[in-house]
Amino acid sequence: MPERAQLAPSGRMWALAATVATGGFLFGYDTGVASGALLYLREGMPELDDSSLLQESFVSAAVGGAATGAALAGTLGERFGRQRALLCADALFMAGALAMAGATGVYSLLAGRVLVGLGVGVASAVVPLYIAECAPTRSRGALVTANTLMITSGQLVAYVSNIFFARAMRGDARWRWMLGIAALPAAAQSVGLLLLPESPRWLARRGRAREAALALARLRDPDEARDELEAIEQELDDEEHVPSLGEERSLLDGNRSGRSRRRAWSELFARAENRYALVVAAGLQAFQQLVGINTVMYYSTQILSLAGFDDKQEALKYGAVVAAGNVVGTIAGLALIDRLGRRTLALCSLAGCFASLLMLSRAFRDAT
């Protein structure tokens, strides 16, 4: 068999990755839809139009909810499993989307945004973990990065749906459909998740080796599944995370897992190489946010309107161009990451962000 065919993920793994990465799509959709919906919310809710603070709260309520959800995701994922954690995220997202669609005032709208944010936060932490733990080593990178593509694709779909509903609907129905339609992909993901196996690694960590074997059997060929289960058990045994049958009850009660978590945290800060990796990883995440992409995505139509695009639908169209550029950049990054290396690609990306923000600010200043 050709080497490329051996390295390619199976159809079953692509199906799992696509279903799980719908959480990334919802993350992207929420980022993109806020920009267009805010234009029409200001028409339907005068108190929102009169207050910059309430407009900022509309955006930041989801961001704050996402931060809280991400902080809770580790506990949810470890205690209840990756699958149930994502089902919880979907339930929160559906409740939030429907609450926004039926909002009767600003504060019920903000409550819906918080619920959506909680769902987004849980999903953003659990999705890549779930995919990585189910994927074979040889194709793990490709499958995990599919989540990034789903995020940017969700942003683009949000802008396209904003344009559609702005044309097809009238009055408050515009923003209600923009915000509420997101409940559909969340519901579809919930159904899909019920058809998927739980993470084999999580099952093995909980001492449920038979269920882990059955999960792997649904994702791998028999010989590969057996070999991978042995490798997982060996890795977990080396990490002293696999309980014996007699210890399973104490783990479920939280005693052993509590000690394991405390030991993991102490090792994270006690060893120099771990501290260095933590600083690099956290620093890259921080710089990724601080370059301003979220501001551009959340407020792109507002920025375009202030820069001279008086027609709302024209602002939405050009906002979609921004989202399409984000998708193209993601695809280019996926194609170049192994060829150029992570560091080189990150430096080039940061340089591009710097130049783009300078051009954006200059164009905005000249227009105003």
Side-chain angles (χ1 to χ4, degrees):
M1 183 181 293
E3 182 179 355
R4 183 178 293 275
Q6 291 180 343
L7 294 177
S10 67
R12 287 170 291 183
M13 271 310 310
W14 277 119
L16 181 143
T19 302
V20 175
T22 303
F25 176 88
L26 293 171
F27 184 3
Y29 187 90
D30 178 69
T31 303
V33 76
S35 180
L38 195 54
L39 289 176
Y40 295 99
L41 275 165
R42 293 171 62 183
E43 289 182 355
M45 294 187 177
E47 63 269 40
L48 194 68
D49 189 40
D50 295 337
S51 173
S52 297
L53 177 61
L54 287 177
Q55 293 175 39
E56 293 161 3
S57 297
F58 173 76
V59 172
S60 60
V63 177
T68 304
L72 296 173
T75 300
L76 286 173
E78 282 301 314
R79 187 180 182 95
F80 301 108
R82 309 339 183 189
Q83 190 181 51
R84 291 180 181 176
L86 278 183
L87 287 170
C88 176
D90 285 336
L92 289 167
F93 200 97
M94 284 187 284
L98 294 175
M100 289 188 293
T104 57
V106 172
Y107 294 104
S108 57
L109 180 72
L110 294 180
R113 289 289 290 168
V114 171
L115 288 173
V116 164
L118 287 169
V120 163
V122 173
S124 66
V126 175
V127 165
L129 183 62
Y130 192 176
I131 296 175
E133 290 184 340
C134 290
T137 304
R138 64 179 182 270
S139 55
R140 187 169 295 152
L143 290 166
V144 171
T145 50
N147 182 54
T148 306
L149 182 59
M150 289 291 277
I151 292 173
T152 54
S153 298
Q155 292 171 342
L156 178 58
V157 169
Y159 278 94
V160 173
S161 69
N162 284 348
I163 294 170
F164 172 78
F165 289 123
R167 291 180 175 179
M169 302 296 174
R170 293 290 180 269
D172 288 353
R174 288 169 166 167
W175 61 263
R176 292 187 188 279
W177 275 98
M178 289 177 184
L179 297 171
I181 196 69
L184 290 182
Q189 186 187 37
S190 296
V191 174
L193 286 170
L194 296 175
L195 303 176
L196 297 178
E198 179 56 87
S199 160
R201 186 172 291 271
W202 180 81
L203 290 169
R205 182 178 288 118
R206 305 295 285 188
R208 296 156 62 178
R210 176 175 172 77
E211 294 175 61
L214 292 173
L216 280 170
R218 295 176 60 184
L219 300 171
R220 310 278 194 278
D221 294 328
D223 292 340
E224 187 180 6
R226 183 171 52 253
D227 293 342
E228 185 163 343
L229 181 60
E230 292 176 357
I232 290 173
E233 290 179 335
Q234 182 60 51
E235 289 176 16
L236 295 177
D237 190 48
D238 291 342
E239 297 171 7
E240 298 181 353
H241 281 172
V242 173
S244 65
L245 292 177
E247 293 172 319
E248 183 174 355
R249 182 176 299 277
S250 66
L251 185 144
L252 293 175
D253 289 340
N255 297 330
R256 183 182 173 98
S257 60
R259 291 195 299 271
S260 297
R261 283 196 295 269
R262 288 192 293 271
R263 183 167 60 249
W265 278 105
S266 64
E267 290 177 356
L268 178 63
F269 294 102
R271 301 175 63 179
E273 60 269 28
N274 290 344
R275 291 197 302 272
Y276 178 77
L278 177 64
V279 169
V280 171
L284 286 173
Q285 289 290 331
F287 281 119
Q288 179 180 317
Q289 302 303 312
L290 292 173
V291 293
I293 182 60
N294 284 338
T295 301
V296 173
M297 297 307 299
Y298 277 122
Y299 294 105
S300 60
T301 54
Q302 301 280 87
I303 294 170
L304 289 166
S305 296
L306 291 171
F309 292 89
D310 295 328
D311 184 80
K312 292 183 176 65
Q313 294 194 21
E314 285 297 308
L316 288 173
K317 289 179 184 178
Y318 285 104
V321 172
V322 175
N326 205 10
V327 173
V328 171
T330 302
I331 295 172
L334 296 179
L336 295 173
I337 190 167
D338 289 326
R339 186 176 303 174
L340 298 180
R342 278 64 168 166
R343 182 175 182 273
T344 300
L345 192 61
L347 290 172
C348 291
S349 298
L350 288 171
C353 289
F354 179 77
S356 299
L357 287 169
L358 284 180
M359 289 189 289
L360 179 64
S361 60
R362 175 66 182 271
F364 183 72
R365 187 194 68 178
D366 292 344
T368 55

